[in-house]
Amino acid sequence: MSVWLHIALWAAILFGGAWVFRWAGQQLPNPRTRPYFRDMSYAVAFGFLLAAAALYWTVQLYFVDRVVFFRWAVQGFLFFAAAGWAFRLLGRHVGTPGTRKLFRKMPLTAAFGILVILVYAVVAIFADVLAPFGQEQVFERVNVLPGGNPETGGDPRFLLGTDQIGRDLLSRLIYGAQNTVGIAFVTTCLAFLLGASLGFLAATLGGWLDQLLSRGVDVLMAIPSLIFALLLMTIASAWAGSEKWLLTVYMIVIIAVLDSTRVFRLSRAVGANIVVMDYIEAAKLRGETLTYLIFREILPNAYAPLLAEFGLRFCFVFLTIAALSFLGVGIQPPLADWGTMVRDLSQFINFAGVSPLTAALPLMAAGAIALLTVAVNFVVDWMLYQSSGLKD
Amino acid sequence: MQSVARIIAQRLGLGLVTLFFVSVIIFAAVNMLPGDFAQAILGQGATPEAVEAIRRDLGLDKPPITRYFDWLGGVLQGDFGTSFAAANFRSFTGAETGSGLGSVAAQVAPRFENTLFLAGVTAAIAVPFSLILGVLAALFRNSIFDRAANIGTLTSISSPEFFLAYILILFLAVLNPMLPSLSNIYADMSFGERLERTLLPALTLTLVVTAHMMRMTRAAIINLLASPYIEMARLKGISPLRVIVKHALPNALAPIINVIALNLAYLITGVVVVEVVFVYPGIGQLFVDSVKIRDIPVVQACCLIFAAAYILLNLLADILSILSNPRLRHPK
């Protein structure tokens, strides 16, 4: 009951406080603020109070030891914001005039996104150098707790501890960048190769080929893609048998084909708008080949929407692969990957009250996935905003 | 009104045709399995007699087209066939189990009901919540509130479902034990108890779908704000909230309804991961379990149900947007 009393008390404070706040503002002698408070609606006053209360709760929660996760989240948020800001500052002063101008108009979210993507790329490419151990290396000490402190069950050699069969978790987290991001990137490229070339082909040739491809894509898109991927993975796992790496290859192909349907739709729509242009007509009359038409005339003009779509598609592919791995049918062990890590470590979350760092392990892997998709989304958002000239 | 009925009938027919092709694709995909069902059920060490018996039992000695229409005919009568696990059991004991648990339909039905309950609870929370947030974001556009909501929704839309689920578990189940982190639901549970156990998965799904709906609501309303009639309403001296709720919202309903239906369709896929995280006994959990043990009839049936629900909701979105926008009734 005390919870309800608590909520009621806070509601009373907020609703009453908003009215008092506006009234107090109206009593201020400063003639410049007067009209502002006089015209302020109750909702805006309430919003101010709510924001103040949210700030108060945040600060209060920050110092509660039991929910140390919240402190880490706030610190992480502040750190990333500062890093994004510093990165933008760097970009404004270093580089060619073109990039400097780009950085000058860039919002903080986009700078943050670009920075995160760069960091992921570096970690993925140099995983062999960065990781202290190999991803398949098994040690004799299993279930070492994270923290590296021997008194609390840690081991200074394994900063994040080891898993249930004794593999170093930090190394696996780093290799996860290589495997998960790398496989998602390859899959997206494959999907684009397939979808864009078929889409442009359908747009240029038209006729029965266009009809056939479009109707086929319609039917494929009528099945939810995660469900269809799971069905096909069942069959692929029967085909692959005990060859685990083969299953990963099948997964890349399956997801690439399923996602190429969306790319096909977009590139066909974009291509159809370009094909009716006069310069295409002129190129056709010049007697140019189909390859020339598609790669030299259509592709450069469809570049901007396709690039934005590439970012979004990458996010979807990345999340689909993570979900499949989480469900146990995606990237197969011994390859380290974040989705599988979340599933394997998920039970640790119950130790949140005793050992917060242990409980944070599954969240680190899941958060690594989330961070990259958020970053890509921020960048795509900014690119779309720039190319459309949208200003509300 | 004549034309509306005709358009709806047309769309329904198109949906049925799509569903037919989808069923063909699912059947064809399943038939690409190496070997056949009988071998898949019994595994490597099966005797030829046992394989033969099951093959006859399941009608696998018939040609594929006959089998497809047998399967489709069964599906139309609510008979999805026999689950492999049950068929396997029967081939060893040599007798009917008698409990009726063997049929796929008996396995799927109660779980389908649970999933509908979860989706219903989610929709009941997410739809009003995202509408209110969207209207507020449109009302206070370009303010700090709008930007914070924008960043928040973008973050939640791009996080994997299991990340949101574990964060909710961490804060609402482990650190502050308010809600159970495992949603084990039984048939004879009271509604309140059921609701309590469903709340955490429903909240996760809410976080996933709210973002998209809220952004669309905001965009649809803001699109209209430049229209002359909104200008007029503003010049009359109506309050901004009233302008949006009474004048802009009704005209923005078409895209909003569309996006709500699409998100409910999205729920159908999102439900799989969330059900696995919370061990919620729904159809998504059954689907993933069957995928792991390769129980093909169950996988086939679940896939068909998911696809049917997806097509149906998309169809609904289509029809509702035609009904709410008369201009779409007269295609050029």
Side-chain angles (χ1 to χ4, degrees):
Chain A
M1 210 55 219
S2 72
V3 177
W4 293 113
L5 206 68
H6 206 72
I7 291 176
L9 195 69
W10 270 109
I13 290 177
L14 285 179
F15 281 109
W19 194 84
V20 173
F21 171 70
R22 188 172 58 167
W23 178 80
Q26 283 161 357
Q27 307 306 311
L28 284 179
N30 189 345
R32 274 194 302 172
T33 56
R34 251 206 178 135
Y36 180 70
F37 280 104
R38 191 193 56 217
D39 298 338
M40 180 187 276
S41 68
Y42 182 74
V44 174
F46 181 76
F48 272 115
L49 261 237
L50 195 65
L55 202 66
Y56 168 71
W57 286 325
T58 311
V59 171
Q60 199 189 30
L61 209 58
Y62 185 84
F63 291 107
V64 178
D65 264 333
R66 210 164 54 85
V67 280
V68 68
F69 297 96
F70 186 75
R71 193 179 307 166
W72 290 343
V74 171
Q75 283 168 352
F77 180 77
L78 291 179
F79 171 76
F80 282 125
W85 186 79
F87 179 67
R88 188 173 64 172
L89 201 66
L90 186 76
R92 279 175 179 173
H93 291 96
V94 181
T96 63
T99 59
R100 263 188 278 177
K101 191 179 170 210
L102 202 64
F103 271 101
R104 215 170 320 129
K105 289 194 296 181
M106 190 182 282
L108 197 56
T109 48
F112 160 76
I114 292 175
L115 178 69
V116 169
I117 293 171
L118 283 180
V119 169
Y120 272 70
V122 168
V123 171
I125 293 168
F126 298 106
D128 301 309
V129 188
L130 290 170
F133 303 105
Q135 57 177 328
E136 300 170 23
Q137 212 172 342
V138 176
F139 294 92
E140 68 282 3
R141 290 200 60 192
V142 300
N143 283 332
V144 174
L145 291 181
N149 185 359
E151 284 166 25
T152 54
D155 188 326
R157 278 193 301 160
F158 313 115
L159 269 184
L160 289 183
T162 54
D163 63 4
Q164 68 275 21
I165 62 167
R167 292 173 299 193
D168 181 42
L169 282 175
L170 179 63
S171 308
R172 285 182 75 73
L173 207 57
I174 291 173
Y175 270 103
Q178 197 172 44
N179 297 326
T180 320
V181 180
I183 287 176
F185 188 72
V186 169
T187 311
T188 318
C189 289
L190 202 61
F192 258 77
L193 204 67
L194 201 65
S197 45
L198 285 182
F200 287 143
L201 210 61
T204 349
L205 291 180
W208 62 268
L209 182 78
D210 183 23
Q211 281 299 321
L212 193 72
L213 284 173
S214 300
R215 293 295 85 74
V217 162
D218 281 352
V219 173
L220 279 186
M221 281 178 79
I223 312 175
S225 69
L226 185 68
I227 304 295
F228 201 32
L230 274 168
L231 172 76
L232 292 179
M233 285 307 286
T234 321
I235 293 149
S237 72
W239 276 102
S242 54
E243 307 263 1
K244 295 289 188 196
W245 62 272
L246 206 57
L247 190 57
T248 310
V249 174
Y250 284 146
M251 183 192 70
I252 293 177
V253 175
I254 287 171
I255 296 182
V257 170
L258 290 185
D259 264 273
S260 69
T261 53
R262 270 80 177 169
V263 182
F264 172 85
R265 276 269 177 99
L266 181 80
S267 45
R268 186 181 163 276
V270 173
N273 279 338
I274 297 176
V275 163
V276 292
M277 294 285 180
D278 286 342
Y279 56 83
I280 299 287
E281 193 77 4
K284 273 185 187 159
L285 290 176
R286 280 206 308 273
E288 301 287 4
T289 59
L290 187 65
T291 339
Y292 180 90
L293 274 181
I294 289 180
F295 287 101
R296 302 300 292 276
E297 300 282 358
I298 299 179
L299 192 60
N301 288 300
Y303 187 63
L306 280 187
L307 197 66
E309 174 70 9
F310 188 86
L312 285 183
R313 212 29 55 204
F314 173 80
C315 286
F316 276 104
V317 167
F318 188 56
L319 288 179
T320 311
I321 290 180
L324 282 181
S325 303
F326 176 75
L327 297 175
V329 288
I331 300 172
Q332 296 295 317
L335 284 188
D337 122 275
W338 290 332
T340 320
M341 279 179 81
V342 177
R343 184 182 49 138
D344 289 347
L345 301 172
S346 63
Q347 288 310 314
F348 286 161
I349 211 153
N350 294 318
F351 302 132
V354 196
S355 165
L357 202 55
T358 314
L361 284 176
L363 294 181
M364 277 184 208
I369 299 169
L371 189 63
L372 182 60
T373 31
V374 170
V376 173
N377 261 322
F378 278 156
V379 175
V380 170
D381 224 33
W382 170 63
M383 273 166 46
L384 285 177
Y385 186 80
Q386 275 221 319
S387 64
S388 69
L390 209 72
K391 296 283 184 297
D392 262 350
Chain B
M1 262 358 246
Q2 188 81 51
S3 69
V4 174
R6 214 184 64 227
I7 286 176
I8 290 177
Q10 221 172 24
R11 296 292 151 126
L12 271 178
L14 210 61
L16 276 180
V17 171
T18 316
L19 201 56
F20 172 74
F21 279 112
V22 165
S23 75
V24 170
I25 285 188
I26 291 174
F27 189 79
V30 165
N31 271 282
M32 284 192 326
L33 270 177
D36 67 11
F37 283 7
Q39 277 161 350
I41 300 172
L42 296 178
Q44 297 282 315
T47 59
E49 292 84 36
V51 171
E52 203 50 49
I54 284 207
R55 204 171 275 169
R56 220 178 19 255
D57 247 19
L58 300 176
L60 290 178
D61 39 5
K62 293 179 203 153
I65 295 178
T66 324
R67 268 188 293 140
Y68 170 71
F69 282 106
D70 280 353
W71 177 64
L72 194 67
V75 165
L76 288 180
Q77 292 162 30
D79 173 21
F80 286 92
T82 318
S83 144
F84 273 2
N88 201 357
F89 182 72
R90 211 180 303 155
S91 79
F92 280 119
T93 56
E96 280 290 327
T97 47
S99 61
L101 269 178
S103 84
V104 175
Q107 269 185 3
V108 167
R111 281 164 172 266
F112 187 57
E113 198 183 309
N114 284 343
T115 295
L116 281 185
F117 183 70
L118 174 59
V121 172
T122 308
I125 301 173
V127 172
F129 184 58
S130 53
L131 278 183
I132 291 173
L133 266 186
V135 167
L136 283 180
L139 187 62
F140 300 111
R141 55 196 170 280
N142 299 332
S143 69
I144 295 177
F145 168 76
D146 184 27
R147 256 175 244 165
N150 193 20
I151 291 182
T153 50
L154 203 60
T155 309
S156 83
I157 212 174
S158 43
S159 305
E161 286 100 348
F162 49 83
F163 181 56
L164 299 173
Y166 282 124
I167 286 194
L168 283 185
I169 289 184
L170 179 67
F171 281 106
L172 295 182
V174 179
L175 291 174
N176 308 301
M178 292 196 281
L179 294 166
S181 67
L182 291 183
S183 324
N184 37 356
I185 283 178
Y186 310 106
D188 49 354
M189 242 176 190
S190 74
F191 182 78
E193 211 171 351
R194 222 171 135 162
L195 193 66
E196 192 201 352
R197 304 220 166 162
T198 317
L199 212 52
L200 214 43
L203 280 180
T204 310
L205 284 171
T206 304
L207 278 182
V208 176
V209 293
T210 297
H212 195 203
M213 290 199 273
M214 179 223 142
R215 284 170 82 103
M216 275 309 284
T217 309
R218 177 184 178 275
I221 291 176
I222 284 181
N223 257 342
L224 284 174
L225 287 185
S227 337
Y229 79 98
I230 295 287
E231 186 88 49
M232 175 67 206
R234 220 180 264 148
L235 290 177
K236 274 195 302 192
I238 298 180
S239 79
L241 183 67
R242 214 175 138 81
V243 168
I244 283 182
V245 175
K246 292 273 285 203
H247 295 254
L249 197 58
N251 274 317
L253 268 185
I256 293 173
I257 288 173
N258 214 333
V259 84
I260 287 176
L262 285 183
N263 270 288
L264 292 186
Y266 174 78
L267 262 186
I268 311 247
T269 16
V271 111
V272 175
V273 173
V274 172
E275 278 182 6
V276 170
V277 172
F278 291 98
V279 206
Y280 185 89
I283 196 166
Q285 169 98 47
L286 178 71
F287 184 53
V288 171
D289 285 348
S290 311
V291 163
K292 278 189 190 147
I293 60 169
R294 282 190 227 148
D295 198 337
I296 298 296
V298 183
V299 170
Q300 227 171 351
C302 291
C303 208
L304 197 63
I305 290 173
F306 278 127
Y310 195 67
I311 292 173
L312 200 72
L313 280 167
N314 275 310
L315 202 70
L316 197 69
D318 215 18
I319 290 174
L320 282 179
S321 62
I322 287 175
L323 283 183
S324 62
N325 187 353
R327 267 174 296 185
L328 291 177
R329 277 178 225 160
H330 307 286
K332 291 193 192 89

